[in-house]
Amino acid sequence: MAQGTIRYWAAAKAAAGVAEEPYDAETLAVALEAVRARHSGELVRVLQRSSFLVDGDPVGTRGHETVRLAEGGTVEVLPPFAGG
């Protein structure tokens, strides 16, 4: 298992109640499953609408089960941003 950090931004941070927390997972899918188990309610809904960066690279439409996580890596959870 790889260990690293999940960082939450904007609405994800508010829903999680923390700015970041550790992960212990081989793939993004496993890491997000653990997040959903720890944080029910609003964060689960925010994750459905969020984009993700893994070590600075956009995940895009790739299946989360195919996105490998690195030891010491960072997952950024980016909810939709309003703006103009």
Side-chain angles (χ1 to χ4, degrees):
M1 291 281 172
Q3 295 181 340
T5 303
I6 298 175
R7 290 193 183 132
Y8 301 106
W9 297 98
K13 181 178 174 181
V18 296
E20 62 183 48
E21 62 185 345
Y23 70 72
D24 189 1
E26 291 294 320
T27 67
L28 180 57
V30 172
L32 293 177
E33 183 178 311
V35 166
R36 289 182 190 100
R38 281 192 304 270
H39 304 279
S40 60
E42 184 60 23
L43 183 57
V44 173
R45 289 184 286 279
V46 171
L47 290 175
Q48 292 172 338
R49 300 184 314 267
S50 293
S51 299
F52 303 94
L53 299 177
V54 174
D55 297 330
D57 294 323
V59 171
T61 59
R62 289 183 287 162
H64 295 167
E65 68 282 353
T66 68
V67 180
R68 310 267 321 153
L69 300 180
E71 182 68 28
T74 303
V75 174
E76 310 271 352
V77 180
L78 306 170
F81 293 91

